[in-house]
Amino acid sequence: MDTLTRMRTFIAVVDEDGFSAAGRALGRSKALVSKYVSELEDELGVRLLNRTTRKLSLTEIGHSYFHEAQTIIHQVDMLQESVQDKSGKAKGLLRISAPRSLADSHLVDTIMGFAESEPDVALELVLEDRFVDLIQEAFDVAIRITALEDSSLIARRLGSFRIVTCASPDFIDANGEVDIPADLHDKPCIIDSNLKSRQNWTFFERGKRVAVPVKGRVETNSPQAVRLGALSGLGYARTLHMLVAEDLKQGRLVQVLEDYEANDVGIFVVYANRRHLSSKIRAFVDYMSKNYQKTED
């Protein structure tokens, strides 16, 4: 029995939260699954799982090993796919991470168009407003909205996004207008905790990038909650134009500092810098680049 098989079995036990469920998922008996995990622990000389009659949990070292094993197995599978797929045909499972705030946008329509065009590719689309670690969490690609920083990831720009700063008319009347970015420093702001620089909002002033420290009593990891907070008069908000476009049109929110907004915010498809890039990732990136509309309002 090879180590990779034991690792796959261990990962299945954790993912399925039990030996019986893992056995059903793998098509093996509960006893055989338990045997493989025990052999892996013996090989490593450590206990990976705490076992009781009612509960299964990872040990501290088991937790670390689980995430590293996921990465290794994912890389092995990617390498195998790239070597075996001589025809270059896209196939297999493609795991995609994308912002939940874009669930109703053209982005998801485009991803579903890709699924329709590639019948041999299975999609797992995870929508959540946080930056995932592609390697540690075994994602193939991610969609990100950002002024992209240097990283070890490969990125292809799909288009641009408008970012706006806004607040309700009643809030502005009660707390005062802002004429320049620095005016936000002593105003209540609604913080989107998904942003890396969540308490430093970036603007352009006289051609230079400036970061303005902001604070407020409301912080959330949901862009939609940021919008609702602004509508409730809880502070200035900074969010995607597409999320508040109708509110701005109807006068429920008022945009401020329009002349100072950053102009380099883009939407990117990113993937790990792999020597052997699978056909499914290459096909997805090419399809998104060709079919995603260039501007989201």
Side-chain angles (χ1 to χ4, degrees):
M1 182 55 53
D2 63 275
T3 299
L4 288 178
T5 300
R6 297 186 184 109
M7 290 171 66
R8 291 183 190 276
T9 304
F10 167 68
I11 291 169
V13 169
V14 177
D15 285 341
E16 301 294 332
D17 197 25
F19 291 95
S20 297
R24 289 191 293 271
L26 296 171
R28 298 188 175 114
S29 68
K30 176 183 177 181
L32 189 58
V33 168
S34 179
K35 176 176 180 290
Y36 288 170
V37 173
S38 294
E39 288 177 347
L40 180 61
E41 290 178 321
D42 290 342
E43 180 181 344
L44 296 170
V46 298
R47 180 169 292 279
L48 300 173
L49 295 169
N50 292 314
R51 304 165 176 83
T52 67
T53 56
R54 294 185 177 182
K55 188 177 181 181
L56 184 72
S57 63
L58 286 165
T59 63
E60 182 177 356
I61 195 168
H63 189 274
S64 176
Y65 184 84
F66 171 70
H67 290 293
E68 293 295 335
Q70 279 186 311
T71 300
I72 291 170
I73 292 298
H74 186 62
Q75 291 175 335
V76 168
D77 290 343
M78 291 288 294
L79 175 59
Q80 185 169 329
E81 285 181 20
S82 66
V83 172
Q84 291 180 341
D85 186 13
K86 302 296 185 183
S87 67
K89 184 175 177 59
K91 61 182 179 180
L93 175 64
L94 184 71
R95 299 192 72 228
I96 307 167
S97 170
R100 185 187 292 113
S101 52
L102 296 182
D104 298 323
S105 75
H106 180 63
L107 172 72
V108 175
D109 291 338
T110 309
I111 292 174
M112 294 307 159
F114 169 77
E116 184 179 4
S117 71
E118 298 289 351
D120 293 327
V121 176
L123 292 189
E124 181 182 348
L125 176 60
V126 179
L127 296 169
E128 52 186 348
D129 291 309
R130 69 180 180 88
F131 273 56
V132 301
D133 185 316
L134 267 67
I135 302 300
Q136 290 293 330
E137 299 179 57
F139 281 99
D140 296 297
V141 293
I143 305 296
R144 291 183 176 169
I145 302 170
T146 179
L148 198 68
E149 299 175 355
D150 291 338
S151 72
S152 60
L153 301 176
I154 304 299
R156 185 179 295 186
R157 188 183 182 105
L158 300 180
S160 60
F161 267 80
R162 289 176 59 191
I163 300 293
V164 297
T165 305
C166 57
S168 70
D170 290 344
F171 174 84
I172 294 175
D173 288 342
N175 293 270
E177 298 182 0
V178 292
D179 297 315
I180 61 174
D183 291 342
L184 289 169
H185 183 65
D186 59 355
K187 305 291 185 184
C189 294
I190 302 168
I191 310 299
D192 185 342
S193 59
N194 292 298
L195 303 178
K196 287 186 175 181
S197 55
R198 58 192 186 188
Q199 292 180 322
N200 288 279
W201 291 357
T202 301
F203 298 90
F204 273 88
E205 192 168 4
R206 297 186 182 90
K208 295 182 179 180
R209 188 188 298 269
V210 295
V212 178
V214 296
K215 59 185 177 181
R217 61 189 182 90
V218 177
E219 182 172 324
T220 176
N221 67 346
S222 165
Q224 194 59 247
V226 170
R227 168 184 171 266
L228 294 174
L231 289 170
S232 299
L234 297 176
Y236 283 101
R238 188 160 169 78
T239 190
L240 297 175
H241 178 266
M242 61 173 286
L243 295 181
V244 295
E246 189 62 25
D247 299 314
L248 294 171
K249 182 179 179 181
Q250 298 298 327
R252 295 186 292 265
L253 293 174
V254 177
Q255 184 176 358
V256 298
L257 303 175
E258 185 172 0
D259 294 337
Y260 297 91
E261 292 295 356
N263 57 12
D264 63 344
V265 179
I267 179 167
F268 297 83
V269 56
V270 301
Y271 54 95
N273 184 8
R274 297 188 179 98
R275 181 181 177 185
H276 301 281
L277 187 64
S278 70
S279 297
K280 63 186 179 184
I281 294 179
R282 185 178 293 106
F284 178 77
V285 172
D286 290 345
Y287 183 92
M288 294 299 293
S289 298
K290 179 180 179 181
N291 293 281
Y292 184 75
Q293 67 185 45
K294 296 305 178 183
T295 301
E296 283 277 7
D297 289 327

